[in-house]
């Protein structure tokens, strides 16, 4: 098409000029000699190729000089260049041809020669540059999205790196104290710990089945029960409807770990994971000490820690606009709720 377009461009300008001229003079150019018309059309086709070639060279010059800087100044200079190019080409090549045909060069011929091709040149410029600007915008947007995705990927890896030491410290601390009392049980705990670590090798940007998450949480709870108080009362509910749903891994665990870390008082821990209206709901609440611990008679404020902040940020990255999360103390209990809206 790019090889045929210049010919069509030249013929379009020619027929437009002829129709305008004939409307003024009353002459019908198709009644003239076809030899004369053929010569004019052939010359117009050559003019079309010449103009498009010169136009492309001019735009290549501006592209090289300004590259991707699409400023108002650049557009103004390009329009001026197109105007001057049209003015020079049409008056050097087309004006003499018109002067040698029909009744010679008239004022309306001069107006048509300079106006019609310029109009088409500006339309052609607008289409070409609009296409170039659109492509540049799309490329810049894609590049920006790539940079953003790379940044988010890096942040997710950093959050994962933050989580692992936190988990390792708690688990190793459990095994350390268990070894003083029961070496055989400690070995079994190490095996459980190894299974948990193996699961954590999943890429946190790859989704897993919800059943795998449930199995992982149950193993983690079994590990935590070893170091918990004998007064611990667990109430667990996992909805049997949850089978093949896909979720990002290790999003529920920080809430479970937080519950075991701060449990006290009645040592009640209730956990519920269910499916409702196509969404996944996770509720967990644990009793906390009725009296806050003190140092020198002053209550110790509970630190929020990196666990919940880490979780909140991961939810923002992995489930943007598709999650609800809340956590806080309510009537001597720490209550956390998480809702994940699954993709359909």
């Amino acid at each position: 098409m790019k090889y045929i377009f210049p010919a069509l461009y030249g013929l379009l300008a020619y027929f437009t000029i002829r129709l305008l001229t004939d409307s003024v003079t009353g002459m019908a150019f198709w009644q003239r000699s076809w030899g004369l018309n053929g010569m004019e059309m052939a010359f117009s086709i050559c003019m079309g190729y010449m103009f498009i070639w010169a136009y492309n060279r001019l735009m290549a010059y501006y592209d090289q000089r300004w590259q991707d800087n699409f400023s108002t100044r650049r557009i103004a200079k390009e329009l001026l260049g197109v105007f001057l190019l049209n003015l020079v080409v049409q008056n050097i090549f087309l004006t003499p041809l018109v002067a040698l045909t029909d009744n010679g060069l008239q004022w309306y011929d001069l107006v048509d020669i300079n106006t019609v091709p310029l109009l088409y040149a500006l339309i052609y410029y607008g289409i070409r540059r609009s296409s170039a600007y659109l492509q540049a915008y799309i490329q810049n947007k894609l590049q920006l999205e790539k940079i953003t995705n790379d940044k988010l990927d890096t942040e997710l890896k950093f959050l994962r790196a933050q989580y692992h030491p936190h988990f390792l410290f708690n688990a190793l601390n459990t095994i350390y104290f268990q070894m003083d009392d029961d070496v055989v049980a400690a070995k079994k705990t190490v095996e459980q710990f190894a299974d948990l670590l193996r699961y954590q090798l999943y890429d946190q940007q790859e989704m897993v089945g919800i059943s795998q998450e449930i199995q992982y949480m149950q193993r983690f709870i079994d590990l935590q029960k070893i170091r918990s108080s004998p007064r611990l009362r667990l109430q667990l509910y996992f909805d049997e409807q949850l089978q093949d749903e896909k979720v990002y891994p290790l999003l529920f665990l920080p809430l479970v770990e937080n519950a075991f870390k701060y449990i006290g008082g009645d040592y009640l821990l209730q956990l519920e994971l269910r499916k409702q209206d196509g969404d996944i709901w996770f509720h967990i609440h644990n009793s906390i000490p009725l009296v806050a611990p003190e140092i020198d008679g002053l209550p110790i404020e509970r630190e929020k820690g990196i666990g919940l902040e880490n979780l909140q940020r991961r939810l923002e990255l992995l489930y943007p606009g598709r999650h609800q999360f809340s956590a806080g103390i309510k009537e001597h209990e720490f209550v956390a709720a998480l809702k994940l809206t699954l993709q359909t």
Side-chain angles (χ1 to χ4, degrees), residues 259-316:
F260 276 102
K261 182 177 180 181
Y262 293 105
I263 193 169
D266 295 332
Y267 280 88
L268 174 64
L269 193 156
Q270 295 178 312
L271 182 153
E272 180 183 10
L273 182 64
R274 59 185 169 87
K275 185 176 182 181
Q276 180 178 333
D277 299 328
D279 300 327
I280 293 179
W281 290 81
F282 180 83
H283 295 269
I284 187 169
H285 57 93
N286 60 278
S287 59
I288 58 176
L290 298 178
V291 179
E294 298 180 353
I295 294 181
D296 297 332
L298 298 175
I300 301 175
E301 293 186 2
R302 177 177 171 179
E303 295 181 0
K304 189 175 182 181
I306 67 171
L308 298 184
E309 293 179 354
N310 187 315
L311 173 62
Q312 180 67 60
R313 183 54 182 156
R314 287 166 59 206
L315 288 170
E316 292 172 357

Side-chain angles (χ1 to χ4, degrees), residues 62-332:
Y62 286 121
D63 289 339
Q64 184 178 9
R65 182 172 181 181
W66 274 284
Q67 295 183 350
D68 294 332
N69 180 23
F70 297 113
S71 62
T72 304
R73 180 186 177 194
R74 172 181 176 174
I75 295 175
K77 284 185 173 293
E78 287 182 350
L79 289 173
L80 179 61
V82 171
F83 173 77
L84 294 176
L85 174 65
N86 186 84
L87 189 67
V88 171
V89 171
Q90 304 305 330
N91 283 284
I92 290 180
F93 296 99
L94 196 57
T95 301
L97 175 67
V98 174
L100 297 175
T101 58
D102 296 333
N103 58 347
L105 183 67
Q106 305 294 326
W107 66 269
Y108 46 81
D109 293 325
L110 202 58
V111 172
D112 291 342
I113 290 171
N114 286 278
T115 302
V116 174
L118 177 60
L119 175 63
Y120 286 129
L122 292 177
I123 294 174
Y124 179 63
Y125 168 82
I127 295 173
R128 281 285 301 270
R129 271 304 179 229
S130 296
S131 176
Y133 295 158
L134 180 60
Q135 290 180 2
Y137 171 77
I138 294 174
Q139 289 296 326
N140 289 337
K141 193 171 183 62
L142 290 175
Q143 184 67 19
L144 179 61
E145 289 180 357
K146 183 178 182 303
I147 294 173
T148 302
N149 289 336
D150 290 343
K151 181 181 177 182
L152 295 181
D153 181 58
T154 301
E155 186 174 356
L156 278 172
K157 291 179 180 178
F158 173 72
L159 292 172
R160 186 178 185 181
Q162 276 188 315
Y163 170 71
H164 279 187
H166 191 239
F167 167 77
L168 290 173
F169 174 79
N170 290 334
L172 291 175
N173 192 46
T174 299
I175 297 171
Y176 175 80
F177 286 104
Q178 191 180 28
M179 290 179 66
D180 291 336
D181 301 324
D182 191 343
V183 175
V184 176
K187 289 182 178 179
K188 184 178 179 180
T189 303
V190 170
E191 293 177 359
Q192 293 176 315
F193 181 51
D195 289 337
L196 295 176
L197 287 179
R198 191 176 297 112
Y199 182 78
Q200 290 190 25
L201 293 177
Y202 279 110
D203 187 346
Q204 290 193 32
Q205 289 180 269
E206 295 294 331
M207 305 185 86
V208 299
I210 188 67
S211 58
Q212 293 177 268
E213 274 291 288
I214 294 174
Q215 186 179 28
Y216 177 81
M217 279 192 290
Q218 289 176 325
R219 289 176 178 174
F220 179 82
I221 290 171
D222 291 339
L223 183 62
Q224 290 296 320
K225 286 164 62 177
I226 297 172
R227 61 192 295 260
S228 296
S229 168
R231 299 168 54 196
L232 176 66
R233 292 184 296 151
L234 274 175
Q235 296 179 6
L236 306 178
Y237 173 75
F238 296 105
D239 194 343
E240 294 181 354
Q241 296 184 69
L242 294 170
Q243 296 291 334
D244 303 322
E245 291 79 7
K246 296 291 185 179
V247 295
Y248 289 101
L250 306 177
L251 293 177
F252 307 119
L253 185 66
L255 300 176
V256 180
E257 187 176 16
N258 185 77
F260 276 102
K261 182 177 180 181
Y262 293 105
I263 193 169
D266 295 332
Y267 280 88
L268 174 64
L269 193 156
Q270 295 178 312
L271 182 153
E272 180 183 10
L273 182 64
R274 59 185 169 87
K275 185 176 182 181
Q276 180 178 333
D277 299 328
D279 300 327
I280 293 179
W281 290 81
F282 180 83
H283 295 269
I284 187 169
H285 57 93
N286 60 278
S287 59
I288 58 176
L290 298 178
V291 179
E294 298 180 353
I295 294 181
D296 297 332
L298 298 175
I300 301 175
E301 293 186 2
R302 177 177 171 179
E303 295 181 0
K304 189 175 182 181
I306 67 171
L308 298 184
E309 293 179 354
N310 187 315
L311 173 62
Q312 180 67 60
R313 183 54 182 156
R314 287 166 59 206
L315 288 170
E316 292 172 357
L317 296 176
L318 297 173
Y319 288 91
R322 295 189 295 115
H323 76 274
Q324 295 178 12
F325 173 60
S326 62
I329 297 175
K330 182 180 180 181
E331 297 180 356
H332 302 294

